[in-house]
């Protein structure tokens, strides 16, 4: 073994990296809840990869660049598209069971098509792809002798030290939720794979773990953060009081679902030549604008014209969940609204997944690799995580080979976190929940699908006040996961607003009604916060 590597997060990014690093190092993996609780586990649609003979790498690259609205880093996109298919095959070798083409003489992957893709290239496991990926990876991780998994451990702060003018990461402080103890975990390299930040917003498709912890932690430690203004709102979340974050996959539109007003009129033709198959940002804005125009609370996604057998076998999970709620999607249109879904920005990395601090990597939704630009193409995120985890693992091998010991002493500032357990004052949980709701409501109302300078400025003023209040609470109280999540949500909200205020144009997912045009003269660049 060449050293110890710390992995924070047990979604596709953290697990893939852990498996690869475990070939040459000891891996400590910490994760905030149970090991399967991640955005990955909820991914329905699939993994985009060029697997069909009629498809080609250049088509996938082109589709990704078009969706990214001029801001994707071409080298990152090419790396992902080129290396993706073999990593999907590796997942299959590790045991992933993806859907096969029923009609084919020899077993062949069934490839779906989703919004923004010019070809059929979505590898899927019915509509439960993420669960299958997570199951495969967790099984392999649990069977690996070099990987220790610590569930219910929430990372709080990076431990850093400076050497020769370079800040390096030595590990993290983490809260063990079962005994409320904060401990320091040291490692030769650290990966942030903490996923997305959907819970910065009131409505989201993300599970509760998605509070932007990795981005907030990295920012506090001085890492560069990029493109946080580009939040993808999934256009079609089920509108139902008992299922606020149940997603109706993009694949439903890909396989023929049509968006209609409540009176049955299709409306997407007026917004984009691809109609219901238009990219997500176009669809989300179109729905937002139709809802404002009509005053309705939702629109319909209609699959009643498809054969019921096809609908039930292609979307068994969506069919069953809707049926539980009294909606038979083979007969009734599905009521849908947009919700915060994916963060294109994050901890800025290079092509090897290296962040701007020494010994720190970021992969998956917590990272900004340059792949997504101003808008993520559907099903590119699982693929991105596979490819960049692979690169980060190879780079970690090189880092450990150099056998350069980490700097000896950690900054006192970061280790102070150990004192937090001793603080006796506990903030009341309902108060924390109330503050969280305040931030989420503010972000939904002022920093949502359509933004304006005035609303962003107002949101920034309010978030700054909240941020100060939360920091004081955090400094003076016993640390709980809820309090640390509130702190991170508030910080990520600030980062989103700051990035959105800096970008004086509309591009991809960032639509500002005061700057409604795309400005290629000044804004073909990332928004980077030091
Ligand atoms: C409903 C839904 C459907 C989707 N469908 C698709 C799809 O079809 N195709 C596609 O490509 N993408 C899809 N996505 C997006 C994709 O699932 C995610 O971008 C991807 O899974 C992110 O993987 P990840 O490993 O970066 O993060 P995650 O899978 O979210 O994992 C993050 C991990 O970090 C842990 N964690 C977080 N904070 C801390 C902390 N402070 N300390 C310790 N651990 C922490 C979490 O517990 C979790 O284990 C979908 C997302 C959602 C929500």
């Amino acid at each position: 073994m060449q050293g110890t590597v710390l992995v924070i997060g047990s979604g596709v990014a953290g697990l893939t990296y852990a498996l690869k690093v475990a070939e040459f190092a000891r891996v400590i993996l910490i994760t905030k809840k149970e090991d399967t609780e991640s955005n990955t586990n909820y991914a329905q649609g699939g993994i985009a990869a060029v697997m069909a003979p009629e498809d080609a790498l250049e088509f996938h690259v082109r589709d990704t660049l078009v969706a990214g609205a001029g801001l994707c880093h071409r080298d990152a996109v090419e790396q992902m598209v080129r290396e993706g298919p073999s990593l999907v095959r590796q997942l299959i070798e590790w045991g992933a069971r993806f859907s096969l083409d029923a009609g084919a003489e020899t077993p062949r992957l069934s490839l779906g098509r989703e919004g923004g893709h010019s070809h059929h290239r979505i590898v899927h496991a019915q509509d439960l792809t993420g669960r299958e990926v997570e199951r495969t990876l967790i099984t392999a991780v649990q069977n690996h002798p070099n990987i220790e998994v610590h569930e219910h451990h929430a990372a709080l702060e990076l431990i850093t030290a400076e050497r020769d003018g370079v800040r390096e990461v030595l590990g993290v402080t983490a809260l063990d939720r079962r005994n409320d103890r904060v401990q320091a975990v040291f490692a030769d390299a650290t990966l942030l794979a903490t996923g997305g930040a959907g819970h910065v917003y009131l409505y989201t498709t993300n599970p509760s773990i998605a509070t932007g912890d990795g981005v907030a932690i990295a920012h506090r430690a001085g890492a560069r953060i990029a493109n946080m203004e580009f939040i993808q709102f999934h256009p079609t979340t089920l509108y139902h009081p008992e299922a606020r974050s149940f997603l109706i996959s993009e694949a439903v539109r890909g396989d023929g679902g049509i968006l209609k007003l409540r009176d049955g009129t299709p409306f997407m033709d007026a917004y984009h030549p691809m109609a219901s198959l238009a990219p997500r940002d176009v669809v989300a804005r179109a729905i937002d604008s139709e809802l404002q125009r009509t005053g309705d609370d939702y629109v319909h996604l209609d699959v009643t014209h498809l054969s019921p057998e096809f609908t039930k076998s292609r979307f068994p999970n969506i069919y069953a969940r809707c049926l539980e709620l009294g909606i038979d999607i083979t007969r009734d249109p599905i009521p849908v609204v947009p919700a915060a879904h994916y963060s294109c920005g994050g901890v800025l990395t290079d092509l090897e997944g290296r962040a701007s601090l020494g010994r720190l990597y970021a992969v998956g939704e917590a990272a900004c690799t340059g792949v997504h630009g101003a808008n993520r193409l559907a099903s590119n995120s699982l693929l991105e995580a596979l490819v960049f985890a692979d690169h980060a693992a190879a780079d970690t091998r090189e880092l450990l080979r150099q056998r350069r010991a980490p700097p000896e002493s950690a900054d006192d500032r970061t280790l102070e976190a150990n004192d937090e357990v001793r603080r006796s004052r506990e903030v009341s949980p309902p108060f924390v929940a109330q503050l969280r709701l305040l931030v989420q409501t503010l972000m939904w109302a002022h920093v949502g699908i359509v933004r304006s300078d005035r609303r962003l400025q107002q949101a920034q003023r309010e978030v700054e006040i909240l941020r100060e209040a939360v920091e004081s609470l955090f400094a003076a109280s016993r640390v709980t996961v809820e309090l640390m999540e509130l702190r991170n949500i508030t910080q990520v909200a600030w980062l989103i607003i700051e990035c959105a205020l800096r970008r004086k144009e509309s591009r991809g997912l960032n639509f500002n009604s005061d700057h409604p045009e795309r400005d290629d003269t000044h804004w073909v660049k990332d928004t980077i916060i030091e």
Side-chain angles (χ1 to χ4, degrees), residues 7-16 29-48 114 122-124 127 129-130 133-134 138 150 152-157 172-175 177 192-197 204-214 217 232 234 245-251 280 340-343 363-367 372 376-385 481 484-485 488:
V7 177
I8 308 170
S10 58
V12 58
L15 295 172
T16 307
L29 187 152
I30 64 169
T31 188
K32 197 157 66 166
K33 288 181 93 179
E34 294 77 31
D35 55 9
T36 52
E37 191 55 0
S38 60
N39 275 8
T40 302
N41 208 31
Y42 294 83
Q44 295 179 346
I47 310 176
E114 293 186 337
I122 312 300
V123 178
H124 57 274
D127 57 352
T129 309
V133 169
E134 190 77 18
I138 289 273
H150 298 273
H152 305 287
H153 278 65
L156 298 175
E157 298 287 6
V172 291
T173 52
L175 175 69
R177 303 177 71 156
L192 284 173
T194 48
T204 177
T205 63
N206 294 186
S208 64
I209 51 96
T211 50
D213 296 355
I217 289 170
Q232 186 167 64
H234 196 288
S245 58
F246 187 71
L247 182 131
I248 307 297
S249 159
E250 193 99 21
R280 279 184 184 172
H341 184 56
Y342 185 83
S343 170
V363 174
E365 198 169 333
H372 306 301
R376 173 189 71 127
L377 184 64
S379 286
N380 266 353
S381 40
L382 294 174
L383 186 72
E384 181 203 34
V481 167
M484 100 40 183
E485 286 185 345
N488 292 336

Side-chain angles (χ1 to χ4, degrees), residues 258-288:
I258 299 171
L259 282 162
K260 297 178 175 173
L261 297 177
R262 285 176 66 189
D263 67 6
T265 318
F267 59 87
M268 278 308 300
D269 281 338
Y271 290 91
H272 197 273
M274 289 173 90
S276 290
L277 270 176
R280 279 184 184 172
D281 59 319
V282 178
V283 178
R285 267 203 306 281
I287 297 177
D288 193 58

Side-chain angles (χ1 to χ4, degrees), residues 48 60 63 113-119 121-122 274 377-380:
H60 190 181
D63 293 345
R113 188 173 161 198
E114 293 186 337
H117 286 276
S118 58
H119 286 73
R121 63 169 75 100
I122 312 300
M274 289 173 90
L377 184 64
S379 286
N380 266 353

Side-chain angles (χ1 to χ4, degrees), residues 71 83 88 143 169 224 226 312 440 499 508:
L71 227 62
E83 298 173 17
V88 170
N143 289 329
V169 171
R224 299 170 110 197
K312 287 183 208 169
Q440 293 169 325
C499 287

Side-chain angles (χ1 to χ4, degrees), residues 27 62 349 421 435 469:
V27 175
R62 189 188 58 202
T349 74
V421 264
L435 287 175

Side-chain angles (χ1 to χ4, degrees), residues 154-157 172-176 180-184 220 412-426 471 473-480 483-484 487:
L156 298 175
E157 298 287 6
V172 291
T173 52
L175 175 69
D176 181 344
D180 271 356
R181 285 195 48 217
V182 177
Q183 64 203 80
R220 285 199 291 273
D412 293 346
R413 186 174 56 82
T414 47
L415 285 180
E416 272 170 21
N418 284 323
D419 291 334
E420 282 155 357
V421 264
R422 290 198 281 276
R423 292 182 196 140
S424 53
R425 206 181 110 193
E426 184 171 358
E471 283 300 326
L473 272 182
F474 192 82
S477 319
R478 191 164 71 77
V479 182
T480 62
L483 184 56
M484 100 40 183
R487 184 186 190 209

Side-chain angles (χ1 to χ4, degrees), residues 207-341:
S208 64
I209 51 96
T211 50
D213 296 355
V215 173
I217 289 170
H219 181 239
R220 285 199 291 273
R224 299 170 110 197
I225 308 296
N227 291 357
M228 292 302 292
E229 68 272 41
F230 298 115
I231 299 290
Q232 186 167 64
F233 289 84
H234 196 288
T236 54
T237 312
L238 184 66
Y239 180 83
H240 194 283
E242 285 165 42
R244 284 239 306 246
S245 58
F246 187 71
L247 182 131
I248 307 297
S249 159
E250 193 99 21
V252 175
R253 289 189 285 123
D255 278 317
I258 299 171
L259 282 162
K260 297 178 175 173
L261 297 177
R262 285 176 66 189
D263 67 6
T265 318
F267 59 87
M268 278 308 300
D269 281 338
Y271 290 91
H272 197 273
M274 289 173 90
S276 290
L277 270 176
R280 279 184 184 172
D281 59 319
V282 178
V283 178
R285 267 203 306 281
I287 297 177
D288 193 58
S289 122
E290 288 300 320
L291 293 180
Q292 290 194 18
R293 192 179 63 76
T294 58
D296 285 341
D297 291 331
Y298 57 86
V299 294
H300 278 143
L301 180 56
D302 191 0
V303 291
T304 55
H305 54 287
L306 305 178
S307 105
E309 288 68 38
F310 172 78
T311 299
K312 287 183 208 169
S313 69
R314 177 72 179 91
F315 307 111
N317 180 41
I318 295 173
Y319 173 74
R321 182 71 182 119
C322 289
L323 201 60
E324 266 172 35
L325 298 164
I327 307 161
D328 178 350
I329 67 171
T330 64
R331 295 150 166 258
D332 312 315
I334 314 168
V336 291
V337 281
H341 184 56

